[in-house]
Amino acid sequence: MRFMETPDTPAESAPEPTGIAAQDWAKAATEPQYRAAVVDLLGALAYGELAAFERLAEDAKLAPTLGDKAELAKMASAEFHHFEQLRDRLSAIGVEPTEAMEPFVAALDGFHRQTAPSDWLEGLVKAYVGDSIASDFYREVAARLDGDTRALVLGVLDDTGHASFAVEKVRAAIEADPRVGGRLALWARRLMGEALSQSQRVVADRDALSTMLVGGVADGFDLAEVGRMFSRITEAHTKRMAALGLAA
């Protein structure tokens, strides 16, 4: 799901799966609370991908060149394909996709309203930095999912190949006008705060998801581990800022 470019993503250092994480969907889904958590997770991801498709299509209007416009259109197409995969999985497990997505519409739309980019560069930073924070969060959760669901989630979080595009454009802009760097650094810090707050709100509002994160369903997570998880997400954000040539 957008710009996941580095091999240093948090979930990749996870230990061998145990408990539910070592099961397939058919077995894991017999636990009602786990099933509810997965439905919430897929619903949140599906709406996130749909919203990203809409946003990238809108951001293409800000693109300075025809080539840049085409690149964003390509990204938007990849986002919609990811949405279709999640929608189809929800349907396959007997869930109406729109009902699964509905609980997350207000929070995600609110995040996008509060972080609407004012220009092309802010849009690139938002897609690269802001969306990657969400991807890091979902990758962390994926490590505790059953094998079938984990494969789907990691698949839709795969880098669509455009991280280098964002880095190249932002670094070139800073080189041309170093003053741009300060503005974009402040913007990225704001995105970081909003994205983390959104992730925490989504989890807190959904009992099944919060229970899974603190160890009531998924194996191996506890409150201390949740704290470490957010520390890893913050560290990954710092690395992305460095890649952009911005101070975290």
mmCIF file of all heavy atoms in Angstrom, residues 4-44:
data_model
loop_
_atom_site.group_PDB
_atom_site.id
_atom_site.type_symbol
_atom_site.label_atom_id
_atom_site.label_comp_id
_atom_site.label_asym_id
_atom_site.label_seq_id
_atom_site.Cartn_x
_atom_site.Cartn_y
_atom_site.Cartn_z
ATOM 1 N N MET A 4 6.250 1.582 0.295
ATOM 2 C CA MET A 4 6.980 0.836 1.318
ATOM 3 C C MET A 4 8.273 0.338 0.700
ATOM 4 O O MET A 4 8.342 -0.719 0.121
ATOM 5 C CB MET A 4 6.141 -0.326 1.835
ATOM 6 C CG MET A 4 4.997 0.127 2.722
ATOM 7 S SD MET A 4 5.533 1.074 4.129
ATOM 8 C CE MET A 4 6.553 -0.111 4.967
ATOM 9 N N GLU A 5 9.338 1.128 0.843
ATOM 10 C CA GLU A 5 10.496 0.890 0.019
ATOM 11 C C GLU A 5 11.651 0.174 0.688
ATOM 12 O O GLU A 5 12.477 -0.413 0.026
ATOM 13 C CB GLU A 5 11.008 2.238 -0.530
ATOM 14 C CG GLU A 5 11.860 3.059 0.436
ATOM 15 C CD GLU A 5 11.121 3.563 1.657
ATOM 16 O OE1 GLU A 5 9.900 3.434 1.730
ATOM 17 O OE2 GLU A 5 11.790 4.094 2.561
ATOM 18 N N THR A 6 11.765 0.258 1.994
ATOM 19 C CA THR A 6 12.963 -0.256 2.624
ATOM 20 C C THR A 6 12.763 -1.673 3.107
ATOM 21 O O THR A 6 11.662 -2.077 3.442
ATOM 22 C CB THR A 6 13.375 0.621 3.841
ATOM 23 O OG1 THR A 6 12.485 0.329 4.898
ATOM 24 C CG2 THR A 6 13.327 2.094 3.504
ATOM 25 N N PRO A 7 13.853 -2.461 3.184
ATOM 26 C CA PRO A 7 13.730 -3.809 3.736
ATOM 27 C C PRO A 7 13.687 -3.820 5.242
ATOM 28 O O PRO A 7 13.579 -4.866 5.857
ATOM 29 C CB PRO A 7 15.007 -4.499 3.229
ATOM 30 C CG PRO A 7 15.998 -3.384 3.114
ATOM 31 C CD PRO A 7 15.197 -2.179 2.685
ATOM 32 N N ASP A 8 13.758 -2.631 5.857
ATOM 33 C CA ASP A 8 13.832 -2.555 7.311
ATOM 34 C C ASP A 8 12.464 -2.400 7.948
ATOM 35 O O ASP A 8 12.323 -1.780 8.993
ATOM 36 C CB ASP A 8 14.722 -1.366 7.721
ATOM 37 C CG ASP A 8 16.143 -1.518 7.214
ATOM 38 O OD1 ASP A 8 16.652 -2.648 7.237
ATOM 39 O OD2 ASP A 8 16.702 -0.504 6.791
ATOM 40 N N THR A 9 11.430 -2.901 7.318
ATOM 41 C CA THR A 9 10.102 -2.752 7.879
ATOM 42 C C THR A 9 9.970 -3.562 9.155
ATOM 43 O O THR A 9 10.556 -4.631 9.284
ATOM 44 C CB THR A 9 9.054 -3.221 6.855
ATOM 45 O OG1 THR A 9 9.456 -4.478 6.346
ATOM 46 C CG2 THR A 9 8.933 -2.218 5.729
ATOM 47 N N PRO A 10 9.199 -3.075 10.142
ATOM 48 C CA PRO A 10 9.176 -3.678 11.464
ATOM 49 C C PRO A 10 8.804 -5.145 11.486
ATOM 50 O O PRO A 10 9.409 -5.930 12.194
ATOM 51 C CB PRO A 10 8.125 -2.828 12.209
ATOM 52 C CG PRO A 10 8.119 -1.521 11.505
ATOM 53 C CD PRO A 10 8.415 -1.831 10.075
ATOM 54 N N ALA A 11 7.777 -5.539 10.716
ATOM 55 C CA ALA A 11 7.276 -6.903 10.833
ATOM 56 C C ALA A 11 8.269 -7.938 10.340
ATOM 57 O O ALA A 11 8.187 -9.109 10.676
ATOM 58 C CB ALA A 11 5.964 -7.033 10.058
ATOM 59 N N GLU A 12 9.261 -7.534 9.522
ATOM 60 C CA GLU A 12 10.146 -8.504 8.930
ATOM 61 C C GLU A 12 11.114 -9.112 9.938
ATOM 62 O O GLU A 12 11.722 -10.136 9.682
ATOM 63 C CB GLU A 12 10.920 -7.868 7.770
ATOM 64 C CG GLU A 12 10.013 -7.566 6.597
ATOM 65 C CD GLU A 12 10.759 -7.083 5.370
ATOM 66 O OE1 GLU A 12 11.990 -7.002 5.429
ATOM 67 O OE2 GLU A 12 10.103 -6.803 4.362
ATOM 68 N N SER A 13 11.272 -8.487 11.090
ATOM 69 C CA SER A 13 12.150 -9.027 12.117
ATOM 70 C C SER A 13 11.372 -9.846 13.146
ATOM 71 O O SER A 13 11.902 -10.213 14.174
ATOM 72 C CB SER A 13 12.898 -7.890 12.816
ATOM 73 O OG SER A 13 11.986 -7.004 13.423
ATOM 74 N N ALA A 14 10.090 -10.119 12.857
ATOM 75 C CA ALA A 14 9.244 -10.839 13.803
ATOM 76 C C ALA A 14 9.697 -12.287 13.929
ATOM 77 O O ALA A 14 10.252 -12.867 13.001
ATOM 78 C CB ALA A 14 7.790 -10.786 13.341
ATOM 79 N N PRO A 15 9.478 -12.908 15.098
ATOM 80 C CA PRO A 15 9.850 -14.307 15.288
ATOM 81 C C PRO A 15 8.948 -15.234 14.483
ATOM 82 O O PRO A 15 7.974 -14.813 13.879
ATOM 83 C CB PRO A 15 9.645 -14.505 16.799
ATOM 84 C CG PRO A 15 8.610 -13.490 17.171
ATOM 85 C CD PRO A 15 8.876 -12.298 16.294
ATOM 86 N N GLU A 16 9.275 -16.524 14.507
ATOM 87 C CA GLU A 16 8.456 -17.508 13.818
ATOM 88 C C GLU A 16 7.028 -17.465 14.368
ATOM 89 O O GLU A 16 6.827 -17.325 15.576
ATOM 90 C CB GLU A 16 9.040 -18.906 14.029
ATOM 91 C CG GLU A 16 10.272 -19.195 13.179
ATOM 92 C CD GLU A 16 9.958 -19.182 11.691
ATOM 93 O OE1 GLU A 16 8.976 -19.817 11.268
ATOM 94 O OE2 GLU A 16 10.696 -18.507 10.949
ATOM 95 N N PRO A 17 6.021 -17.578 13.486
ATOM 96 C CA PRO A 17 4.635 -17.489 13.949
ATOM 97 C C PRO A 17 4.293 -18.580 14.965
ATOM 98 O O PRO A 17 4.736 -19.723 14.845
ATOM 99 C CB PRO A 17 3.822 -17.683 12.661
ATOM 100 C CG PRO A 17 4.761 -17.333 11.554
ATOM 101 C CD PRO A 17 6.114 -17.735 12.038
ATOM 102 N N THR A 18 3.513 -18.201 15.962
ATOM 103 C CA THR A 18 2.995 -19.156 16.939
ATOM 104 C C THR A 18 1.516 -18.856 17.150
ATOM 105 O O THR A 18 1.020 -17.811 16.735
ATOM 106 C CB THR A 18 3.732 -19.046 18.288
ATOM 107 O OG1 THR A 18 3.597 -17.701 18.781
ATOM 108 C CG2 THR A 18 5.204 -19.387 18.141
ATOM 109 N N GLY A 19 0.803 -19.751 17.809
ATOM 110 C CA GLY A 19 -0.603 -19.522 18.110
ATOM 111 C C GLY A 19 -1.415 -19.321 16.840
ATOM 112 O O GLY A 19 -1.249 -20.025 15.847
ATOM 113 N N ILE A 20 -2.305 -18.327 16.857
ATOM 114 C CA ILE A 20 -3.148 -18.059 15.701
ATOM 115 C C ILE A 20 -2.310 -17.737 14.470
ATOM 116 O O ILE A 20 -2.669 -18.097 13.346
ATOM 117 C CB ILE A 20 -4.132 -16.915 16.010
ATOM 118 C CG1 ILE A 20 -5.269 -17.429 16.895
ATOM 119 C CG2 ILE A 20 -4.698 -16.300 14.735
ATOM 120 C CD1 ILE A 20 -6.282 -16.401 17.302
ATOM 121 N N ALA A 21 -1.188 -17.067 14.668
ATOM 122 C CA ALA A 21 -0.339 -16.696 13.532
ATOM 123 C C ALA A 21 0.196 -17.911 12.782
ATOM 124 O O ALA A 21 0.632 -17.796 11.637
ATOM 125 C CB ALA A 21 0.817 -15.821 14.009
ATOM 126 N N ALA A 22 0.174 -19.079 13.408
ATOM 127 C CA ALA A 22 0.641 -20.302 12.760
ATOM 128 C C ALA A 22 -0.503 -21.085 12.116
ATOM 129 O O ALA A 22 -0.272 -22.143 11.532
ATOM 130 C CB ALA A 22 1.364 -21.185 13.767
ATOM 131 N N GLN A 23 -1.740 -20.571 12.218
ATOM 132 C CA GLN A 23 -2.907 -21.261 11.685
ATOM 133 C C GLN A 23 -3.308 -20.689 10.333
ATOM 134 O O GLN A 23 -2.844 -19.614 9.935
ATOM 135 C CB GLN A 23 -4.080 -21.127 12.662
ATOM 136 C CG GLN A 23 -3.814 -21.710 14.041
ATOM 137 C CD GLN A 23 -4.941 -21.426 15.020
ATOM 138 O OE1 GLN A 23 -6.004 -20.945 14.645
ATOM 139 N NE2 GLN A 23 -4.688 -21.706 16.289
ATOM 140 N N ASP A 24 -4.204 -21.409 9.624
ATOM 141 C CA ASP A 24 -4.805 -20.846 8.430
ATOM 142 C C ASP A 24 -6.129 -20.187 8.811
ATOM 143 O O ASP A 24 -6.580 -20.265 9.946
ATOM 144 C CB ASP A 24 -4.985 -21.905 7.338
ATOM 145 C CG ASP A 24 -5.930 -23.041 7.757
ATOM 146 O OD1 ASP A 24 -6.647 -22.901 8.785
ATOM 147 O OD2 ASP A 24 -5.961 -24.060 7.058
ATOM 148 N N TRP A 25 -6.740 -19.510 7.828
ATOM 149 C CA TRP A 25 -7.961 -18.762 8.120
ATOM 150 C C TRP A 25 -9.088 -19.669 8.601
ATOM 151 O O TRP A 25 -9.802 -19.341 9.542
ATOM 152 C CB TRP A 25 -8.405 -17.976 6.890
ATOM 153 C CG TRP A 25 -9.801 -17.434 7.005
ATOM 154 C CD1 TRP A 25 -10.904 -17.848 6.337
ATOM 155 C CD2 TRP A 25 -10.238 -16.387 7.883
ATOM 156 N NE1 TRP A 25 -12.008 -17.120 6.728
ATOM 157 C CE2 TRP A 25 -11.633 -16.211 7.676
ATOM 158 C CE3 TRP A 25 -9.596 -15.571 8.825
ATOM 159 C CZ2 TRP A 25 -12.381 -15.264 8.364
ATOM 160 C CZ3 TRP A 25 -10.352 -14.627 9.517
ATOM 161 C CH2 TRP A 25 -11.718 -14.473 9.288
ATOM 162 N N ALA A 26 -9.257 -20.810 7.960
ATOM 163 C CA ALA A 26 -10.378 -21.699 8.306
ATOM 164 C C ALA A 26 -10.360 -22.080 9.776
ATOM 165 O O ALA A 26 -11.400 -22.109 10.436
ATOM 166 C CB ALA A 26 -10.339 -22.947 7.424
ATOM 167 N N LYS A 27 -9.179 -22.363 10.303
ATOM 168 C CA LYS A 27 -9.071 -22.736 11.705
ATOM 169 C C LYS A 27 -9.171 -21.513 12.621
ATOM 170 O O LYS A 27 -9.893 -21.526 13.625
ATOM 171 C CB LYS A 27 -7.759 -23.471 11.952
ATOM 172 C CG LYS A 27 -7.604 -23.989 13.378
ATOM 173 C CD LYS A 27 -6.337 -24.814 13.536
ATOM 174 C CE LYS A 27 -6.206 -25.352 14.966
ATOM 175 N NZ LYS A 27 -4.978 -26.164 15.132
ATOM 176 N N ALA A 28 -8.451 -20.457 12.283
ATOM 177 C CA ALA A 28 -8.421 -19.267 13.135
ATOM 178 C C ALA A 28 -9.795 -18.611 13.237
ATOM 179 O O ALA A 28 -10.171 -18.081 14.289
ATOM 180 C CB ALA A 28 -7.402 -18.265 12.606
ATOM 181 N N ALA A 29 -10.575 -18.657 12.153
ATOM 182 C CA ALA A 29 -11.859 -17.960 12.108
ATOM 183 C C ALA A 29 -12.924 -18.607 12.980
ATOM 184 O O ALA A 29 -14.011 -18.043 13.155
ATOM 185 C CB ALA A 29 -12.358 -17.872 10.672
ATOM 186 N N THR A 30 -12.630 -19.777 13.538
ATOM 187 C CA THR A 30 -13.601 -20.394 14.450
ATOM 188 C C THR A 30 -13.683 -19.632 15.772
ATOM 189 O O THR A 30 -14.626 -19.817 16.533
ATOM 190 C CB THR A 30 -13.241 -21.865 14.728
ATOM 191 O OG1 THR A 30 -11.931 -21.923 15.328
ATOM 192 C CG2 THR A 30 -13.232 -22.670 13.431
ATOM 193 N N GLU A 31 -12.696 -18.784 16.044
ATOM 194 C CA GLU A 31 -12.720 -17.921 17.226
ATOM 195 C C GLU A 31 -13.458 -16.637 16.846
ATOM 196 O O GLU A 31 -12.950 -15.830 16.058
ATOM 197 C CB GLU A 31 -11.298 -17.606 17.663
ATOM 198 C CG GLU A 31 -11.151 -16.473 18.669
ATOM 199 C CD GLU A 31 -12.000 -16.671 19.906
ATOM 200 O OE1 GLU A 31 -11.847 -17.727 20.565
ATOM 201 O OE2 GLU A 31 -12.817 -15.781 20.213
ATOM 202 N N PRO A 32 -14.673 -16.407 17.377
ATOM 203 C CA PRO A 32 -15.500 -15.270 16.932
ATOM 204 C C PRO A 32 -14.814 -13.914 17.084
ATOM 205 O O PRO A 32 -14.946 -13.049 16.217
ATOM 206 C CB PRO A 32 -16.745 -15.364 17.823
ATOM 207 C CG PRO A 32 -16.805 -16.798 18.238
ATOM 208 C CD PRO A 32 -15.384 -17.247 18.364
ATOM 209 N N GLN A 33 -14.101 -13.716 18.190
ATOM 210 C CA GLN A 33 -13.479 -12.410 18.400
ATOM 211 C C GLN A 33 -12.343 -12.172 17.410
ATOM 212 O O GLN A 33 -12.144 -11.055 16.929
ATOM 213 C CB GLN A 33 -12.961 -12.298 19.833
ATOM 214 C CG GLN A 33 -12.611 -10.853 20.207
ATOM 215 C CD GLN A 33 -12.332 -10.713 21.695
ATOM 216 O OE1 GLN A 33 -11.710 -11.573 22.295
ATOM 217 N NE2 GLN A 33 -12.801 -9.619 22.281
ATOM 218 N N TYR A 34 -11.612 -13.243 17.093
ATOM 219 C CA TYR A 34 -10.549 -13.102 16.102
ATOM 220 C C TYR A 34 -11.145 -12.773 14.736
ATOM 221 O O TYR A 34 -10.650 -11.896 14.028
ATOM 222 C CB TYR A 34 -9.707 -14.379 16.004
ATOM 223 C CG TYR A 34 -8.668 -14.295 14.909
ATOM 224 C CD1 TYR A 34 -7.510 -13.541 15.089
ATOM 225 C CD2 TYR A 34 -8.864 -14.923 13.678
ATOM 226 C CE1 TYR A 34 -6.567 -13.419 14.074
ATOM 227 C CE2 TYR A 34 -7.926 -14.810 12.666
ATOM 228 C CZ TYR A 34 -6.774 -14.066 12.870
ATOM 229 O OH TYR A 34 -5.852 -13.940 11.858
ATOM 230 N N ARG A 35 -12.213 -13.469 14.382
ATOM 231 C CA ARG A 35 -12.866 -13.190 13.101
ATOM 232 C C ARG A 35 -13.313 -11.724 13.038
ATOM 233 O O ARG A 35 -13.121 -11.047 12.020
ATOM 234 C CB ARG A 35 -14.063 -14.124 12.906
ATOM 235 C CG ARG A 35 -14.836 -13.854 11.620
ATOM 236 C CD ARG A 35 -16.098 -14.713 11.531
ATOM 237 N NE ARG A 35 -16.934 -14.254 10.429
ATOM 238 C CZ ARG A 35 -16.795 -14.627 9.174
ATOM 239 N NH1 ARG A 35 -15.842 -15.485 8.845
ATOM 240 N NH2 ARG A 35 -17.603 -14.161 8.239
ATOM 241 N N ALA A 36 -13.903 -11.239 14.129
ATOM 242 C CA ALA A 36 -14.357 -9.850 14.162
ATOM 243 C C ALA A 36 -13.185 -8.886 13.995
ATOM 244 O O ALA A 36 -13.298 -7.860 13.311
ATOM 245 C CB ALA A 36 -15.089 -9.572 15.475
ATOM 246 N N ALA A 37 -12.039 -9.215 14.614
ATOM 247 C CA ALA A 37 -10.859 -8.357 14.492
ATOM 248 C C ALA A 37 -10.366 -8.318 13.052
ATOM 249 O O ALA A 37 -9.983 -7.260 12.541
ATOM 250 C CB ALA A 37 -9.749 -8.860 15.422
ATOM 251 N N VAL A 38 -10.369 -9.467 12.377
ATOM 252 C CA VAL A 38 -9.912 -9.516 10.993
ATOM 253 C C VAL A 38 -10.854 -8.750 10.081
ATOM 254 O O VAL A 38 -10.416 -8.018 9.182
ATOM 255 C CB VAL A 38 -9.744 -10.973 10.520
ATOM 256 C CG1 VAL A 38 -9.543 -11.043 9.007
ATOM 257 C CG2 VAL A 38 -8.560 -11.619 11.230
ATOM 258 N N VAL A 39 -12.156 -8.876 10.311
ATOM 259 C CA VAL A 39 -13.122 -8.123 9.515
ATOM 260 C C VAL A 39 -12.875 -6.623 9.677
ATOM 261 O O VAL A 39 -12.886 -5.860 8.700
ATOM 262 C CB VAL A 39 -14.567 -8.496 9.902
ATOM 263 C CG1 VAL A 39 -15.569 -7.525 9.262
ATOM 264 C CG2 VAL A 39 -14.874 -9.924 9.464
ATOM 265 N N ASP A 40 -12.637 -6.186 10.914
ATOM 266 C CA ASP A 40 -12.324 -4.773 11.153
ATOM 267 C C ASP A 40 -11.047 -4.367 10.423
ATOM 268 O O ASP A 40 -10.988 -3.307 9.786
ATOM 269 C CB ASP A 40 -12.153 -4.520 12.648
ATOM 270 C CG ASP A 40 -13.478 -4.260 13.359
ATOM 271 O OD1 ASP A 40 -14.498 -4.084 12.662
ATOM 272 O OD2 ASP A 40 -13.475 -4.233 14.605
ATOM 273 N N LEU A 41 -10.030 -5.194 10.535
ATOM 274 C CA LEU A 41 -8.752 -4.868 9.913
ATOM 275 C C LEU A 41 -8.890 -4.758 8.400
ATOM 276 O O LEU A 41 -8.402 -3.797 7.778
ATOM 277 C CB LEU A 41 -7.716 -5.936 10.270
ATOM 278 C CG LEU A 41 -6.303 -5.695 9.726
ATOM 279 C CD1 LEU A 41 -5.677 -4.474 10.383
ATOM 280 C CD2 LEU A 41 -5.435 -6.925 9.966
ATOM 281 N N LEU A 42 -9.547 -5.726 7.782
ATOM 282 C CA LEU A 42 -9.716 -5.698 6.332
ATOM 283 C C LEU A 42 -10.613 -4.538 5.905
ATOM 284 O O LEU A 42 -10.394 -3.918 4.863
ATOM 285 C CB LEU A 42 -10.295 -7.021 5.838
ATOM 286 C CG LEU A 42 -9.433 -8.267 6.059
ATOM 287 C CD1 LEU A 42 -10.083 -9.484 5.431
ATOM 288 C CD2 LEU A 42 -8.022 -8.077 5.510
ATOM 289 N N GLY A 43 -11.609 -4.220 6.728
ATOM 290 C CA GLY A 43 -12.469 -3.084 6.423
ATOM 291 C C GLY A 43 -11.700 -1.770 6.461
ATOM 292 O O GLY A 43 -11.855 -0.915 5.579
ATOM 293 N N ALA A 44 -10.862 -1.616 7.488
ATOM 294 C CA ALA A 44 -10.054 -0.399 7.598
ATOM 295 C C ALA A 44 -9.077 -0.285 6.436
ATOM 296 O O ALA A 44 -8.907 0.788 5.840
ATOM 297 C CB ALA A 44 -9.300 -0.399 8.927
#
